[in-house]
Amino acid sequence: MKTVLITGANKSIGFETAKQLLGVGYYVYLGCRDLAKGEQAVKQLQSMGLNQVEPIVIDVDNIASIRAARGQIKALDVLINNAGISGGMPQSSTETEINVFRDVFETNFFGVVEVTQAFIDLLKQSAAPRIVNVTSGLGSLTCQSDPDYVHYQVKPVTYVTSKAAMNAYTIVLAYELRDTAFKVNAVDPCYTATDFNNHSGPGTVQDAAARVVKAAVLGPDGATGQFFSDDNAPETGISPW
């Protein structure tokens, strides 16, 4: 049975991703900052007959928490870096306080790096390791520079820059692992109705999670070092960086 760790998985897209991967036979480590909320999410999944799941406390902002989570997991095939924050709205590049930048980057960028580094040794032991970094279409520098981009006017500065940084990390990581069995990709779940955006998005969590799952279960001929986004590139699904 293949195993997957999903950060920020006790609700929303992370929870639905866990549900869908359980449905195709994965064992899920359901990452959560609050154990009680994680246990509640696990009970909900178990009530659906999805039992190969356990909560793992992991706060991606806290290296001690990341290391403690690493100590609880003995084997891993898939890492999904899903946890993220928006930084609130509005966000101005000249007026947003620097501590907001630091908070958002701590979760959206540094957290991804630290979790990846903590679990890379386990992933290297897998026959088919996969890393999925859940990004945003707003993190595309190409799209953000294009006045014809559908979301051109949406520029929350801390969120945009943190996701662009994570995308750059994905490129480098995929390059370094290019001659291995790893598949490393960034996935935009697309504009989805969640607590994250006060349920303003038109997409469903089911469709969003399906995009993440698709990258998590890639076969040996699957792509690596790509930025998947149906919002940014509806015809091909491959977004410009």
Side-chain angles (χ1 to χ4, degrees), residues 2-219:
K2 289 186 176 181
T3 58
V4 55
L5 169 63
I6 310 169
T7 63
N10 59 282
K11 66 176 184 177
S12 193
I13 295 172
F15 177 81
E16 179 63 26
T17 300
K19 178 182 174 183
Q20 292 186 20
L21 284 169
L22 284 163
V24 294
Y26 280 69
Y27 188 96
V28 173
Y29 294 107
L30 189 145
C32 53
R33 288 187 297 178
D34 184 310
L35 181 58
K37 292 180 179 179
E39 289 175 337
Q40 183 179 6
V42 166
K43 287 180 181 177
Q44 186 176 347
L45 291 166
Q46 290 174 337
S47 72
M48 304 173 194
L50 302 170
N51 298 309
Q52 299 300 318
V53 55
E54 65 178 284
I56 293 288
V57 174
I58 180 168
D59 181 350
V60 304
D61 295 353
N62 186 317
I63 189 59
S65 175
I66 294 170
R67 289 170 178 165
R70 168 62 185 82
Q72 296 178 64
I73 298 176
K74 305 305 178 186
L76 192 65
D77 297 288
V78 181
L79 172 62
I80 300 178
N81 286 306
N82 170 71
I85 61 174
S86 69
M89 293 289 280
Q91 294 179 24
S92 161
S93 61
T94 58
E95 298 178 0
T96 300
E97 294 183 1
I98 195 64
N99 67 296
V100 179
F101 277 88
R102 290 192 174 105
D103 287 345
V104 174
F105 267 75
E106 190 65 46
T107 299
N108 294 0
F109 178 64
F110 294 116
V112 170
V113 175
E114 290 186 325
V115 171
T116 301
Q117 290 181 345
F119 286 92
I120 196 70
D121 62 327
L122 284 185
L123 291 165
K124 286 180 177 179
Q125 297 173 31
S126 169
R130 305 288 180 261
I131 297 175
V132 181
N133 292 330
V134 179
T135 187
S136 167
L138 298 179
S140 166
L141 299 182
T142 300
C143 291
Q144 284 285 3
S145 303
D146 183 359
D148 292 328
Y149 176 44
V150 65
H151 301 305
Y152 180 68
Q153 296 183 356
V154 183
K155 288 180 168 54
V157 65
T158 67
Y159 187 71
V160 167
T161 54
S162 67
K163 289 299 186 179
M166 188 187 72
N167 287 350
Y169 179 70
T170 304
I171 291 171
V172 175
L173 183 63
Y175 174 79
E176 291 181 358
L177 296 170
R178 67 194 182 284
D179 295 326
T180 72
F182 273 86
K183 305 295 180 186
V184 182
N185 293 291
V187 175
D188 170 20
C190 299
Y191 190 16
T192 303
T194 66
D195 292 345
F196 198 85
N197 53 41
N198 295 317
H199 295 270
S200 62
T204 67
V205 292
Q206 291 79 15
D207 287 344
R211 296 181 177 103
V212 177
V213 169
K214 183 178 179 180
V217 302
L218 282 175

